[in-house]
Coordinates of all heavy atoms in Angstrom, one line a residue:
E735 N 0.8 -1.2 0.0 CA 0.0 0.0 -0.1 C 0.8 1.3 -0.1 O 2.1 1.2 0.1 CB -0.9 0.0 1.2 CG -1.8 -1.3 1.4 CD -2.7 -1.2 2.6 OE1 -2.3 -0.5 3.5 OE2 -3.5 -2.1 2.6
E736 N 0.2 2.3 -0.1 CA 1.0 3.7 0.0 C 1.7 3.7 1.4 O 0.9 3.4 2.4 CB 0.0 4.9 -0.2 CG -0.5 4.9 -1.7 CD -1.3 6.2 -1.8 OE1 -1.3 7.1 -1.0 OE2 -2.0 6.3 -2.9
G737 N 2.8 4.1 1.4 CA 3.6 4.2 2.7 C 4.3 3.1 2.8 O 5.4 3.0 3.7
D738 N 4.3 2.0 2.0 CA 5.0 0.7 2.0 C 6.1 1.0 0.9 O 6.2 1.9 0.1 CB 4.3 -0.5 1.6 CG 3.2 -0.9 2.6 OD1 3.4 -0.5 3.8 OD2 2.2 -1.5 2.4
H739 N 7.1 0.0 1.0 CA 8.3 0.0 0.1 C 8.6 -1.3 -0.4 O 8.4 -2.4 0.2 CB 9.5 0.5 0.8 CG 9.3 1.9 1.5 ND1 9.6 3.1 0.8 CD2 8.7 2.3 2.7 CE1 9.3 4.1 1.6 NE2 8.8 3.6 2.7
V740 N 9.0 -1.4 -1.8 CA 9.4 -2.7 -2.3 C 10.9 -2.5 -2.8 O 11.2 -1.4 -3.4 CB 8.5 -3.2 -3.5 CG1 8.4 -2.0 -4.6 CG2 9.1 -4.4 -4.1
M741 N 11.7 -3.6 -2.6 CA 13.1 -3.4 -3.0 C 13.4 -4.5 -3.9 O 13.7 -5.7 -3.6 CB 14.0 -3.4 -1.7 CG 14.0 -2.3 -0.8 SD 15.1 -2.4 0.7 CE 16.6 -2.7 -0.1
P742 N 13.2 -4.3 -5.3 CA 13.5 -5.4 -6.2 C 15.1 -5.4 -6.6 O 15.8 -4.3 -6.5 CB 12.8 -4.9 -7.5 CG 12.8 -3.5 -7.3 CD 12.6 -3.1 -5.9
K743 N 15.5 -6.6 -6.8 CA 17.0 -6.8 -7.3 C 17.1 -6.2 -8.6 O 16.3 -6.8 -9.6 CB 17.4 -8.2 -7.0 CG 18.9 -8.5 -7.1 CD 19.1 -9.9 -6.7 CE 20.6 -10.1 -6.7 NZ 21.0 -11.6 -6.2
K744 N 18.1 -5.5 -8.8 CA 18.3 -5.1 -10.3 C 18.6 -6.2 -11.3 O 19.2 -7.1 -10.9 CB 19.5 -4.0 -10.3 CG 19.2 -2.8 -9.5 CD 20.6 -1.9 -9.6 CE 20.4 -0.6 -8.8 NZ 21.6 0.2 -8.8
D745 N 18.0 -6.0 -12.5 CA 18.4 -7.0 -13.7 C 17.7 -8.4 -13.4 O 18.2 -9.4 -13.9 CB 19.8 -7.1 -13.8 CG 20.6 -5.7 -14.2 OD1 19.8 -5.0 -14.9 OD2 21.7 -5.5 -13.8
Y746 N 16.7 -8.4 -12.5 CA 16.0 -9.7 -12.2 C 14.5 -9.5 -12.6 O 14.1 -8.4 -12.7 CB 16.2 -10.1 -10.7 CG 17.4 -10.9 -10.5 CD1 18.6 -10.1 -10.5 CD2 17.5 -12.2 -10.4 CE1 19.9 -10.8 -10.2 CE2 18.8 -12.7 -10.1 CZ 20.0 -12.1 -10.0 OH 21.2 -12.7 -9.8
P747 N 13.8 -10.6 -12.7 CA 12.3 -10.5 -13.3 C 11.5 -9.4 -12.5 O 10.8 -8.7 -13.1 CB 11.8 -11.9 -13.3 CG 13.0 -12.8 -13.4 CD 14.2 -12.1 -12.6
L748 N 11.6 -9.4 -11.1 CA 10.7 -8.6 -10.4 C 10.9 -7.1 -10.9 O 10.0 -6.3 -11.0 CB 10.9 -8.7 -8.9 CG 10.1 -7.7 -8.0 CD1 8.6 -7.8 -8.2 CD2 10.5 -7.9 -6.6
C749 N 12.1 -6.6 -10.9 CA 12.6 -5.3 -11.3 C 12.0 -5.1 -12.8 O 11.5 -3.9 -12.9 CB 14.1 -5.2 -11.2 SG 14.6 -3.4 -11.3
E750 N 12.1 -6.0 -13.7 CA 11.7 -5.8 -15.0 C 10.1 -5.6 -15.1 O 9.7 -4.7 -15.8 CB 12.2 -7.0 -15.8 CG 11.7 -6.9 -17.4 CD 12.2 -8.1 -18.1 OE1 13.0 -8.9 -17.6 OE2 11.7 -8.2 -19.3
L751 N 9.4 -6.4 -14.3 CA 8.0 -6.4 -14.3 C 7.5 -5.0 -13.8 O 6.5 -4.5 -14.2 CB 7.5 -7.5 -13.4 CG 7.6 -8.9 -14.0 CD1 7.1 -10.0 -13.1 CD2 6.4 -9.0 -15.3
I752 N 8.2 -4.4 -12.6 CA 7.9 -3.2 -12.0 C 8.1 -2.1 -13.2 O 7.3 -1.2 -13.3 CB 8.5 -3.0 -10.8 CG1 8.1 -3.9 -9.8 CG2 8.4 -1.5 -10.3 CD1 8.9 -3.9 -8.3
C753 N 9.3 -2.3 -13.8 CA 9.6 -1.1 -14.8 C 8.7 -1.1 -16.1 O 8.6 -0.1 -16.6 CB 11.1 -1.4 -15.2 SG 12.4 -1.0 -13.9
N754 N 8.2 -2.3 -16.3 CA 7.3 -2.4 -17.4 C 6.0 -1.6 -17.3 O 5.4 -1.1 -18.2 CB 6.9 -3.8 -17.8 CG 8.0 -4.6 -18.5 OD1 9.0 -3.8 -18.8 ND2 8.1 -5.9 -18.5
D755 N 5.5 -1.5 -16.0 CA 4.3 -0.8 -15.7 C 4.3 -0.2 -14.2 O 3.7 -0.7 -13.4 CB 3.1 -1.7 -15.8 CG 1.8 -0.7 -16.0 OD1 1.9 0.3 -15.6 OD2 0.8 -1.5 -16.5
P756 N 5.3 0.8 -14.1 CA 5.5 1.3 -12.7 C 4.3 1.9 -12.0 O 4.2 2.0 -10.9 CB 6.6 2.4 -12.9 CG 6.4 2.8 -14.3 CD 5.9 1.5 -15.1
L757 N 3.2 2.3 -12.8 CA 2.0 2.9 -12.2 C 1.2 2.0 -11.5 O 0.3 2.4 -10.7 CB 1.2 3.6 -13.2 CG 1.8 4.9 -14.0 CD1 1.0 5.4 -15.0 CD2 2.3 5.9 -13.0
L758 N 1.5 0.6 -11.7 CA 0.7 -0.4 -10.9 C 1.2 -0.5 -9.4 O 0.4 -0.9 -8.5 CB 1.1 -1.8 -11.5 CG 0.4 -2.1 -12.8 CD1 0.9 -3.5 -13.3 CD2 -1.1 -1.9 -12.8
M759 N 2.3 0.1 -9.1 CA 2.9 0.0 -7.8 C 2.4 1.3 -6.9 O 2.5 2.4 -7.3 CB 4.4 0.1 -7.8 CG 5.1 -1.2 -8.3 SD 4.8 -2.4 -7.1 CE 4.4 -3.7 -8.3

C-alpha cells in the first residue's frame, strides 16, 4: 500500500515487471 516500500533486485524479473508498468505500484 501507500507508505510501504518494495526493494527489487536489479536486472531480475521482479525489477523488469515493475519497470514495465510502474504505475501499478
Side-chain angles (χ1 to χ4, degrees):
E735 300 176 352
E736 290 186 13
D738 294 336
H739 302 266
V740 58
M741 291 179 55
K743 192 173 185 179
K744 293 177 184 176
D745 302 321
Y746 279 76
L748 174 59
C749 194
E750 181 180 348
L751 287 167
I752 292 174
C753 290
N754 286 344
D755 200 345
L757 294 179
L758 290 176
M759 288 292 137

